[in-house]
Amino acid sequence: MSKLNYKKIFISLLCLTVVLGLSGLAIKLMKNKHTVSAYSIDKNYPDADIQTEVNDYTKGGYSVSRPVFHQESIDEQLESYIRNEIKEYQKKWKAIDGKASSELNITYDILHFSKQTVTISFDKYEQIAGKKHSEYNIFTYDIPSQEILSLDEIFYSDTDYLSVLSDIAFEELHDKKDKKLSEDLIKKITDPKMANFESFSVLKNTLVFYMKPKKDGDSSNIQTVAIKKDLFKDSLLDTYLSKDMNQDRVKEKQPNHIVVKLPPKNEWIDPSQKVIALTFDDGPHPDNTMAILTSLKKHQAHATFFVLGSRVEHYPDVLQNMLAQGNEIGNHSWDHPQLTRLSKKKIKSQINTTQLAIKKASGYEPSLIRPPYGAVNDEVRKNIGEMDVVLWEIDPEDWKLKNKKKVVRKVMNKAEDGKVILMHDIYKTSAEAADEIIKKLDQQGYQLVTISELEKVKQDRKRYGIKVKG
């Protein structure tokens, strides 16, 4: 941030005296002749005003702003915050004899303003004798009580909301794959501790949390996690669950991405034991897929089925059986073209029509996609929305061999903890091989899991330092 010219700002504010006077707003000189304070209307929120205070000292100058909501206690608390920041700044400046170049700049943004709450973010930049410091603070006030709102005041105390928040935030930040966030840092800022979730806003349909990877830094360092409130319908107090009371007074600012489902709990999976993921492409098939489902159920195992939209509409009962047994469904396109050879429009059509067919047949909407032939490039990734691409490590080429013994041998020779196996459930020989593979993997101590369950196990191992036994 470049150094502010406080004299120019100071003079500009004075020049507005007549205009502000005519509009009924206030401008006044403080006791110190170098300081001017002005009020203006917030163009985004007519119910709020803006107070800006500027001190024009070249050395030791500052420019600070805060909102005025005409709510006595809230306004007093915000003014106290600003006064304390100015006081601390001047104290540090005077400690170096008040001679070095310095500046303080505080700006704000109203993140949400409803009947129930108001959330304000303050961006602070301070520079004293060349030493720079940035800070970002968020305050949420409950308007009826006019008090700062804490996390434990919006949830029922006898619920496990903090653990759920921790799991959602960890998975969300982990999936972002932000290079600035290491695994250790993600774990640290998403631990189920109240302090990690102290900055939040309550929107009409969404809870938004502002995660701080560092203690200081401006708003560009904040990681935002937005969660659909319906996921907390049993733990969030009715006051904050209410859409009417929490609807923005002007226009709701929609987060870029909203978490709409809870992470898998993996209650039956032991992350310290071996896991492996069986996946099946090109189905569903009325006989072969059902035979595989029978084998999975017999060994209390799960798998992921990447289905073709053109087949889904003919066998909805097979998809319903998949889900009823705890298996996972993924998108494998409508009719198996190589997506990298298609136009943007055709890629979207292949994926979206399949999504609709799966949802119509089963009520389930996949979050995973396996591109036919594993063919994927940047253009494909741009046009599949927020779906995760799933490939594989073990390919027995069952579609080519069509020989039970050879397929079983190829899979078992390469089976390892954490691997993904590719097979096809449209061939009878593959279904027969799958039955033998499931039995052998079970005998060797493997837990057969879905892709989402596998990812959760990997995350838990990293997050909690769990080592695999044997």
Side-chain angles (χ1 to χ4, degrees):
M1 185 182 293
S2 60
K3 183 179 176 183
L4 298 176
N5 188 325
Y6 293 107
K7 287 186 180 293
K8 287 184 178 179
I9 299 175
F10 182 84
I11 292 169
S12 297
L13 285 174
L14 285 176
C15 290
L16 289 173
T17 304
V18 176
V19 176
L20 291 172
L22 290 173
S23 65
L25 297 177
I27 184 168
K28 62 180 179 179
L29 292 172
M30 310 295 280
K31 290 183 179 180
N32 186 327
K33 65 180 181 179
H34 293 279
T35 305
V36 63
S37 179
Y39 284 80
S40 58
I41 295 174
D42 189 312
K43 64 180 181 180
N44 294 319
Y45 290 96
D47 293 336
D49 293 336
I50 304 169
Q51 183 190 30
T52 302
E53 185 175 311
V54 177
N55 184 296
D56 77 326
Y57 271 126
T58 301
K59 297 177 180 180
Y62 59 81
S63 174
V64 297
S65 296
R66 72 172 178 90
V68 178
F69 296 106
H70 307 289
Q71 302 279 342
E72 184 177 0
S73 181
I74 295 176
D75 292 340
E76 286 177 357
Q77 291 175 68
L78 292 175
E79 183 174 15
S80 177
Y81 163 74
I82 292 293
R83 290 276 152 249
N84 186 63
E85 292 294 338
I86 294 172
K87 182 180 178 181
E88 289 300 312
Y89 161 71
Q90 291 177 328
K91 182 179 177 181
K92 286 184 277 188
W93 177 58
K94 289 176 182 177
I96 56 171
D97 299 324
K99 295 179 180 179
S101 174
S102 64
E103 65 174 283
L104 171 67
N105 184 27
I106 299 177
T107 57
Y108 77 88
D109 186 25
I110 299 176
L111 301 179
H112 186 69
F113 190 11
S114 67
K115 296 176 184 177
Q116 186 65 46
T117 66
V118 60
T119 302
I120 316 104
S121 66
F122 286 96
D123 239 330
K124 168 186 166 183
Y125 172 79
E126 182 181 85
Q127 183 273 122
I128 300 176
K131 188 176 180 180
K132 301 175 182 179
H133 174 76
S134 294
E135 192 174 295
Y136 188 65
N137 290 300
I138 295 176
F139 304 110
T140 292
Y141 287 90
D142 182 78
I143 293 175
S145 69
Q146 296 197 37
E147 295 294 336
I148 282 185
L149 198 57
S150 62
L151 187 66
D152 59 351
E153 292 175 309
I154 69 172
F155 288 99
Y156 288 108
S157 59
D158 58 349
T159 59
D160 194 28
Y161 68 88
L162 196 55
S163 177
V164 176
L165 276 177
S166 174
D167 287 344
I168 291 174
F170 180 85
E171 184 171 271
E172 183 73 357
L173 297 184
H174 185 273
D175 288 349
K176 281 185 178 180
K177 296 179 174 61
D178 189 328
K179 293 181 180 179
K180 295 182 292 184
L181 298 175
S182 66
E183 288 283 345
D184 288 342
L185 183 56
I186 293 174
K187 178 182 181 301
K188 181 180 178 181
I189 66 174
T190 61
D191 272 348
K193 299 176 181 176
M194 200 77 69
N196 282 333
F197 301 93
E198 64 182 358
S199 298
F200 63 90
S201 57
V202 184
L203 279 56
K204 178 182 178 181
N205 298 307
T206 314
L207 294 177
V208 183
F209 294 88
Y210 309 93
M211 319 292 291
K212 298 182 180 181
K214 298 192 299 182
K215 288 185 178 180
D216 55 7
D218 59 25
S219 56
S220 64
N221 292 313
I222 297 295
Q223 296 289 330
T224 301
V225 176
I227 308 169
K228 192 173 182 180
K229 287 200 294 190
D230 287 352
L231 300 185
F232 295 98
K233 60 184 178 182
D234 296 325
S235 56
L236 192 64
L237 294 179
D238 291 345
T239 301
Y240 306 102
L241 199 56
S242 166
K243 293 182 179 181
D244 178 60
M245 290 298 291
N246 294 284
Q247 182 170 351
D248 197 280
R249 299 185 184 211
V250 180
K251 186 177 181 181
E252 193 92 350
K253 297 178 183 177
Q254 291 297 324
N256 293 328
H257 174 68
I258 300 173
V259 178
V260 296
K261 64 178 183 178
L262 295 171
K265 290 185 178 181
N266 287 7
E267 292 177 346
W268 69 281
I269 302 168
D270 182 352
S272 69
Q273 301 296 328
K274 295 185 295 184
V275 291
I276 199 164
L278 262 176
T279 65
F280 297 91
D281 288 6
D282 297 353
H285 188 280
D287 300 320
N288 301 329
T289 305
M290 291 303 295
I292 292 170
L293 289 174
T294 299
S295 300
L296 290 167
K297 186 176 182 179
K298 180 180 178 182
H299 294 277
Q300 296 182 312
H302 292 168
T304 302
F305 294 84
F306 291 94
V307 299
L308 294 175
S310 58
R311 298 183 64 85
V312 163
E313 57 185 352
H314 300 295
Y315 309 111
D317 56 323
V318 179
L319 268 72
Q320 291 161 19
N321 273 287
M322 289 176 185
L323 296 173
Q325 290 183 203
N327 299 293
E328 187 168 30
I329 298 173
N331 188 317
H332 196 45
S333 80
W334 180 259
D335 54 8
H336 213 276
Q338 185 167 324
L339 299 180
T340 53
R341 295 179 177 175
L342 301 185
S343 66
K344 172 182 175 181
K345 183 178 180 180
K346 288 183 177 179
I347 293 171
K348 288 185 175 181
S349 176
Q350 283 282 330
I351 304 310
N352 294 340
T353 51
T354 303
Q355 288 288 91
L356 290 173
I358 295 170
K359 189 170 184 180
K360 182 180 179 181
S362 66
Y364 180 81
E365 192 166 0
S367 60
L368 306 177
I369 178 172
R370 173 170 284 163
Y373 313 104
V376 62
N377 57 18
D378 289 343
E379 187 65 19
V380 171
R381 291 183 187 277
K382 286 178 186 177
N383 292 289
I384 59 174
E386 296 181 351
M387 301 180 76
D388 293 324
V389 174
V390 179
L391 300 178
W392 58 86
E393 287 93 17
I394 301 173
D395 180 6
E397 297 185 316
D398 59 319
W399 57 273
K400 182 167 66 175
L401 294 175
K402 295 181 182 175
N403 180 293
K404 173 186 172 180
K405 289 184 178 179
K406 289 182 179 180
V407 172
V408 172
R409 185 168 61 250
K410 289 188 76 171
V411 169
M412 297 310 299
N413 284 344
K414 295 183 179 180
E416 288 182 21
D417 174 65
K419 298 296 185 183
V420 176
I421 302 167
L422 167 65
M423 294 184 69
H424 300 78
D425 55 332
I426 56 173
Y427 305 111
K428 184 178 181 180
T429 49
S430 294
E432 292 170 346
D435 180 63
E436 188 69 19
I437 289 166
I438 292 167
K439 181 171 70 174
K440 286 180 177 293
L441 289 172
D442 185 33
Q443 290 172 345
Q444 292 184 16
Y446 282 96
Q447 300 170 102
L448 279 78
V449 299
T450 67
I451 292 297
S452 291
E453 289 167 342
L454 178 64
E455 289 305 308
K456 184 67 166 60
V457 167
K458 290 179 178 179
Q459 288 177 9
D460 286 347
R461 286 174 177 177
K462 289 180 180 179
R463 189 175 184 185
Y464 301 112
I466 298 171
K467 302 296 182 182
V468 183
K469 296 176 183 177

